[in-house]
Amino acid sequence: MDRIITAKLLTRENFAEFGDVIDKGGDNHYPINGGKTERYHDLAKVDAAGPNARVLVSIGAGTPYKFPLKLSMVERHPFGSQAFIPLSPRPFLVVVCHDGEDGPETPHAFLTQPGQGVNYPRNLWHGVLTPIGKKQDFLIVDRGGDGSNLEEFHFSHPYEIHLPEAR
Ligand SMILES: NC(=O)N[C@@H](O)C(=O)O
Ligand code: NI
């Protein structure tokens, strides 16, 4: 099986089967504060389940990965969603998989558009936060609480993830 995957530009449409896109591209927005602010409303479903669950807001100071990326592991969070919102307008890599009978199916790789964030629903298989080219900070909104909220899957053979040519 071909283990080389080239990331495609992330859009609301092509990511819809996996999770939420956090940007100003949706149509659910309206003026607040007398029109001084436009609110882009309800962009992501935040989910925090299990014992003593609560929503966490954190900052991830990410270090870039080399490309092509060797993807040998994906993970998922059984008790909650996880959102990554970049604090600088640089694209980053998003890798997600549907769940199959024997674990994650073939990965799908996306290159976000500058400033775009994503939200992974509970139990969505995903690669870890993957900045590109330089250090990048991210706001992370995910679940805290008791119990193990991390499940990892190690592929028997790694995938090789490439970025699209024309960037
Ligand atoms: N644990 C954490 O904050 N990050 C990972 O779950 C990840 O998806 O990068
Ligand atoms: Ni995660």
Side-chain angles (χ1 to χ4, degrees):
M1 177 174 70
D2 189 354
R3 313 287 289 192
I4 294 177
I5 296 172
T6 300
K8 50 190 173 200
L9 264 190
L10 193 147
T11 67
R12 202 166 238 91
E13 294 69 30
N14 66 21
F15 196 69
E17 66 186 271
F18 297 106
D20 307 302
V21 175
I22 300 170
D23 67 9
K24 295 188 287 186
D27 52 15
N28 188 5
H29 58 87
Y30 50 88
I32 59 172
N33 305 341
K36 299 293 277 184
T37 293
E38 189 73 7
R39 180 177 169 125
Y40 291 80
H41 184 64
D42 195 12
L43 295 175
K45 183 180 183 307
V46 179
D47 190 5
N52 295 318
R54 65 191 183 92
V55 175
L56 303 178
V57 177
S58 310
I59 286 178
T63 301
Y65 286 73
K66 291 192 185 327
F67 283 84
L69 177 78
K70 180 182 169 195
L71 180 79
S72 53
M73 186 275 288
V74 288
E75 60 169 46
R76 64 181 179 179
H77 307 296
F79 285 137
S81 58
Q82 187 170 57
F84 294 100
I85 301 104
L87 299 181
S88 57
R90 279 183 72 82
F92 65 101
L93 182 78
V94 168
V95 175
V96 290
C97 310
H98 287 304
D99 192 31
E101 283 178 20
D102 305 318
E105 296 181 344
T106 304
H108 295 257
F110 297 93
L111 183 69
T112 65
Q113 295 172 54
Q116 214 170 34
V118 291
N119 179 58
Y120 305 137
R122 184 182 347 167
N123 267 331
L124 178 72
W125 290 110
H126 57 277
V128 296
L129 178 59
T130 307
I132 301 167
K134 63 190 289 192
K135 287 180 183 288
Q136 187 173 16
D137 290 350
F138 293 78
L139 195 67
I140 303 172
V141 180
D142 59 5
R143 180 263 188 198
D146 298 344
S148 170
N149 189 31
L150 174 64
E151 182 183 351
E152 293 183 348
F153 182 92
H154 294 264
F155 293 111
S156 50
H157 304 288
Y159 290 88
E160 191 178 284
I161 311 286
H162 292 249
L163 296 177
E165 284 305 317
R167 288 186 58 230

